[in-house]
């Protein structure tokens, strides 16, 4: 399972690298994909006591959808030279939210399925898309302010923030030990 996820992530990054002129820019898409998959995994395992392995296999395709938010935010040309990130997000937020929320609403309809696998897939993809959007908005705000501006050498702060967030998410997973079922699973049973 982890091999398939790794192959999927590498394939998405390879397509991204081909699509951009600088490979360095494509590497900035990896944290968005990682946060989307991590958020989806954490949410699904918190909601359901047992998760079918096919959820993670099919859910690995989430990386391909998550990279779109990064492409849209990061590679969208500025309206004018020197356009601040805040203005760029202001003009792009409406279509981003419309895209994300309509997709999340569509996958949320899977919650009402009789099949546990389909319900779990709905939670996985919905949570992953919301995490991808949040990660893209936050990550590229940091990238734009810390790394891409000349004279700034505080890229290590970005990596420190990413490591801290990852550790916090993994620590949240530790609270799962010993639970017999999730609240949504109990409500839907």
């Amino acid at each position: 399972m982890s091999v398939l996820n790794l192959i999927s992530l590498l394939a998405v990054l390879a397509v991204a690298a081909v699509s951009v002129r600088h490979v360095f820019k494509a590497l900035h898409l990896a944290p968005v994909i990682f946060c989307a998959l991590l958020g989806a995994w954490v949410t699904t395992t918190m909601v359901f006591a047992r998760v079918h392995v096919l959820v993670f296999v099919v859910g690995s395709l989430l990386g391909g959808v998550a990279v779109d938010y990064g492409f849209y935010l990061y590679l969208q040309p500025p309206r004018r030279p020197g356009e601040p990130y805040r203005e760029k997000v202001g003009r792009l937020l409406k279509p981003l939210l419309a895209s994300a929320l309509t997709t999340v609403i569509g996958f949320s309809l899977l919650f009402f399925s009789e099949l546990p696998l389909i319900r779990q897939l709905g939670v996985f993809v919905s949570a992953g898309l919301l995490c991808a959007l949040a990660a893209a908005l936050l990550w590229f705000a940091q990238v734009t302010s810390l790394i891409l501006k000349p004279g700034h050498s505080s890229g290590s702060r970005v990596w420190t923030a990413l490591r801290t967030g990852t550790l916090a998410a993994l620590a949240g997973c530790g609270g799962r030990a010993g639970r017999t079922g999730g609240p949504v699973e109990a409500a839907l049973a």
Side-chain angles (χ1 to χ4, degrees):
M1 175 180 69
S2 63
V3 174
L4 180 64
N5 289 336
L6 182 61
I7 291 171
S8 174
L9 175 65
L10 291 175
V12 168
L13 287 176
V15 169
V18 168
S19 301
V20 297
R21 283 180 250 180
H22 305 290
V23 176
F24 180 69
K25 284 188 175 186
L27 292 177
H28 283 295
L29 299 170
V32 175
I33 298 167
F34 175 72
C35 289
L37 292 172
L38 181 65
W41 181 78
V42 168
T43 303
T44 305
T45 56
M46 287 180 67
V47 170
F48 297 100
R50 293 187 308 177
V51 180
H52 199 284
V53 71
L54 284 178
V55 171
F56 299 115
V57 172
V58 174
S60 69
L61 300 173
L62 176 66
V65 178
V67 77
D68 288 344
Y69 299 133
F71 269 132
Y72 197 68
L73 274 174
Y74 190 48
L75 301 175
Q76 184 78 21
R79 182 173 279 171
R80 59 180 167 70
E83 179 184 28
Y85 180 75
R86 185 176 211 120
E87 284 181 29
K88 186 178 189 179
V89 168
R91 71 181 164 87
L92 298 176
L93 192 60
K94 195 179 219 179
L96 275 173
L97 284 175
S99 168
L101 294 178
T102 54
T103 307
V104 167
I105 289 169
F107 274 97
S108 296
L109 294 175
L110 298 178
F111 300 163
F112 302 107
S113 172
E114 294 293 323
L115 299 171
L117 171 67
I118 301 298
R119 279 187 283 180
Q120 293 168 2
L121 191 61
V123 170
F124 189 89
V125 174
S126 296
L129 288 174
L130 292 175
C131 289
L133 181 60
L137 290 169
L138 296 174
W139 175 255
F140 292 117
Q142 292 301 311
V143 167
T144 306
S145 68
L146 296 177
I147 294 176
L148 298 179
K149 289 191 177 177
H152 280 53
S153 62
S154 30
S156 64
R157 283 191 277 172
V158 174
W159 295 112
T160 302
L162 184 62
R163 282 193 306 267
T164 305
T166 302
L167 289 174
L170 291 175
C173 293
R176 223 12 236 121
R179 287 190 39 195
T180 57
V184 172
E185 187 176 26
L188 293 175

